[in-house]
Amino acid sequence: MSTFAHRQPGELYESQKLAIWYFVVAIALFGAQIIFGLLLAYQYIDPNFLYQKLSFMTNRTVHLNAMIVWLLVGMMGGVYWFLPIETGREVVGIKLAKFIWWVIVGGVGVVVLVYLLVQIGPGTAFTLWFINEGREYIEAPRWADFAIVAWVAVFLFNVVATTLAARRITGLLGVLIFDLVALGALYTAGMHYTVNVTMDQYLWWWVVHLWVEATWEVLVGVVMGWSLMYLLGTPRKLIETWLFLEVALVFGTGILGLGHHYFWIGTPEYWIGLGGFFSALEPLPLVAMVVHAVYDAGAHRLHTINKPAMMWAVTQAFGNFIGAGVWGFMQTLPQVNMYSHGTQLAAAHGHFAFFGAYVGTVLTLVYIAVQNIGKRVQIPLGSKLWPWAWGLLVFGIIGIVASFTISGFAQTMIERAELGSTWNAYIKSYTHPWYTNTHWWRFWMGMLFFLGYVLLVWDLLTIGRRRTANAAEGAHD
């Protein structure tokens, strides 16, 4: 069914073996993100919980940074999985790729330990280089920043050298190489230091918006293209046509759409018009991705060789559109953003968008890899457990997003629109039942989400094994 060939069942390229380690670490960090998220959710209910032992700010830092790292690791693992299949050869520089991978794993461990053990300290150059950079979402110390850039550089070398050695360039590989250059370059925007807060925020948003949203979205387009070719046998021409359109729309609308982050940080007023207009266009590439997924599903009647991977691919398409597109558009226009900026509506958008766009992508890739590990080449791959894991994770994230949306709406209406951002308005909104009651809702939905994660891990460890064992017994009889 696939348009590109695998080796014999269970026979993997060295880069695919490396990809499995990427997926193992990604799933482990996914668990860490959920656990620290649950701690945060409970500290909203009881602020004294773990007071002076594991502070809210530390839990939030680990929760957010674990999310960024595990999603990036998972998507890079997907490239290492599909690259030898796409080029028909082993990845060039695989030893270097393995070396930098274990350096990064060790570095992530050191950074997390420092976050947990050094929670308070002076804002000095030593802190910036070795403890915590202090910027929200990208708190990693400066030495870790250089390690990340080196990691992406080696990754880019692997892809380019393998493509040249194979003497075969496809549309997917061309887009991937172009995107990896931007992936490495845009991260360095967050490494500039300036005492001008407006300029600092201006460049910081390049990392948050362009690095995470634009370059990651294109990377998602590439690995999801390979995934659809594997799962549905979708023609390459169709995949690459939609991918080129997506790239044009993501960069065409995304770069100037970044302006919606410039509304209230002291940048010139023209950003309100530019940011408002192009932000409104940003959901268009996401709509194209949904059309793409629906078209493929209809054309092939969802006949797939891997049921859980296919379900996560569909979840990715619709979750990306609703979470990143609809929930993002609700608050990007300046007339709305003036009231909603900084409320928990932003958290609702962030949770929904990252789950839809990236969690669905990585879990699609992980299930594809699982199908080809060892003797578990079960076709079609399926189990009784994976629908429960999928259902609990999806239901849990919808509940979490709903609670954030309701509390953010209460903040927007009471604290901003009705009472005008006074101290009294702040107290009234934070003590309003719509705000306080949603804390419990968020916590219990988080527990359901965690249960879904436990079932997911158990399913990944066992799916396909029972049928393989039964088949082996039948053959023996």
Side-chain angles (χ1 to χ4, degrees):
M1 196 171 209
S2 170
T3 58
F4 43 21
H6 281 277
R7 286 182 163 182
Q8 293 299 315
E11 185 181 354
L12 301 178
Y13 289 95
E14 287 300 313
S15 70
Q16 291 180 315
K17 294 176 183 175
L18 177 61
I20 293 170
W21 280 110
Y22 269 70
F23 294 141
V24 169
V25 171
I27 294 298
L29 289 174
F30 184 21
Q33 184 208 350
I34 297 170
I35 290 171
F36 280 91
L38 284 172
L39 291 175
L40 285 171
Y42 193 76
Q43 285 179 326
Y44 267 105
I45 298 167
D46 179 8
N48 292 320
F49 181 63
L50 295 178
Y51 180 64
Q52 292 189 333
K53 296 182 179 65
L54 203 55
S55 68
F56 181 90
M57 67 176 184
T58 301
N59 291 331
R60 187 171 185 270
T61 297
V62 178
H63 174 67
L64 289 170
N65 284 257
M67 175 196 69
I68 293 170
V69 173
W70 88 261
L71 292 173
L72 183 59
V73 163
M75 289 187 287
M76 291 172 75
V79 173
Y80 277 127
W81 181 268
F82 279 112
L83 184 59
I85 304 173
E86 179 77 351
T87 57
R89 57 159 296 140
E90 183 59 84
V91 168
V92 175
I94 189 64
K95 290 183 179 178
L96 181 61
K98 291 179 179 178
F99 172 76
I100 194 70
W101 163 244
W102 292 112
V103 169
I104 289 298
V105 171
V108 168
V110 171
V111 169
V112 172
L113 284 175
V114 170
Y115 284 160
L116 296 177
L117 298 176
V118 187
Q119 299 181 30
I120 298 173
T124 63
F126 179 83
T127 301
L128 185 147
W129 276 92
F130 297 104
I131 308 296
N132 189 321
E133 194 176 64
R135 286 178 167 138
E136 193 178 19
Y137 308 138
I138 50 174
E139 286 92 345
R142 187 56 49 86
W143 71 264
D145 286 339
F146 281 103
I148 291 171
V149 174
W151 178 31
V152 175
V154 170
F155 188 61
L156 174 62
F157 166 75
N158 291 143
V159 174
V160 173
T162 306
T163 303
L164 293 175
R167 297 182 178 181
R168 180 171 184 260
I169 181 75
T170 64
L172 284 160
L173 286 171
V175 170
L176 176 63
I177 292 170
F178 169 73
D179 185 59
L180 290 180
V181 173
L183 184 75
L186 285 171
Y187 186 79
T188 63
M191 296 167 65
H192 296 284
Y193 176 75
T194 170
V195 295
N196 186 318
V197 175
T198 297
M199 184 58 71
D200 184 83
Q201 288 283 291
Y202 190 90
L203 294 173
W204 174 74
W205 279 117
W206 284 26
V207 182
V208 175
H209 194 91
L210 294 180
W211 186 70
V212 172
E213 297 181 23
T215 62
W216 283 29
E217 283 278 5
V218 175
L219 184 56
V220 163
V222 173
V223 294
M224 288 306 293
W226 281 328
S227 298
L228 288 170
M229 290 166 67
Y230 173 82
L231 294 169
L232 295 171
T234 307
R236 179 182 294 276
K237 185 177 180 181
L238 187 149
I239 292 287
E240 292 184 344
T241 300
W242 279 109
L243 182 63
F244 295 151
L245 179 62
E246 181 195 334
V247 170
L249 289 171
V250 163
F251 282 96
T253 62
I255 291 174
L256 288 176
L258 166 69
H260 68 254
H261 293 297
Y262 295 160
F263 291 162
W264 325 117
I265 65 170
T267 53
E269 288 187 5
Y270 58 74
W271 277 111
I272 293 178
L274 285 175
F277 178 75
F278 285 98
S279 292
L281 296 180
E282 276 193 278
L284 288 180
L286 305 172
V287 173
M289 291 181 71
V290 174
V291 171
H292 183 174
V294 170
Y295 178 86
D296 283 341
H300 299 277
R301 298 180 181 179
L302 282 176
H303 290 165
T304 178
I305 60 175
N306 189 319
K307 294 179 181 178
M310 190 64 230
M311 182 57 81
W312 279 113
V314 173
T315 304
Q316 188 275 337
F318 287 93
N320 192 10
F321 170 62
I322 298 172
V326 177
W327 250 251
F329 179 71
M330 285 196 305
Q331 52 195 301
T332 53
L333 292 179
Q335 293 84 352
V336 177
N337 192 267
M338 183 169 63
Y339 297 101
S340 67
H341 190 85
T343 68
Q344 296 205 0
L345 284 175
H349 165 52
H351 280 75
F352 216 167
F354 273 86
F355 183 83
Y358 305 125
V359 175
T361 298
V362 174
L363 294 184
T364 300
L365 296 167
V366 171
Y367 268 108
I368 289 174
V370 162
Q371 189 173 27
N372 294 279
I373 295 175
K375 297 180 180 178
R376 284 190 287 172
V377 190
Q378 175 191 332
I379 298 177
L381 184 69
S383 70
K384 294 181 180 178
L385 198 57
W386 76 261
W388 286 96
W390 175 85
L392 285 170
L393 287 169
V394 171
F395 184 70
I397 197 66
I398 290 174
I400 292 169
V401 169
S403 66
F404 273 123
T405 302
I406 293 171
S407 57
F409 181 77
Q411 284 180 285
T412 302
M413 290 301 296
I414 299 170
E415 183 185 330
R416 309 287 176 80
E418 292 182 356
L419 299 178
S421 298
T422 62
W423 179 247
N424 181 49
Y426 173 83
I427 298 297
K428 284 199 171 185
S429 71
Y430 276 67
T431 55
H432 192 278
W434 283 25
Y435 188 86
T436 56
N437 291 343
T438 54
H439 292 167
W440 281 106
W441 188 354
R442 188 186 313 162
F443 176 75
W444 288 114
M445 285 298 171
M447 292 297 288
L448 280 181
F449 192 86
F450 181 68
L451 178 59
Y453 169 79
V454 172
L455 296 182
L456 172 76
V457 172
W458 185 249
D459 189 52
L460 290 172
L461 292 173
T462 60
I463 190 169
R465 286 187 173 180
R466 182 171 299 175
R467 184 177 294 187
T468 303
N470 292 339
E473 290 174 5
H476 181 73
D477 294 339

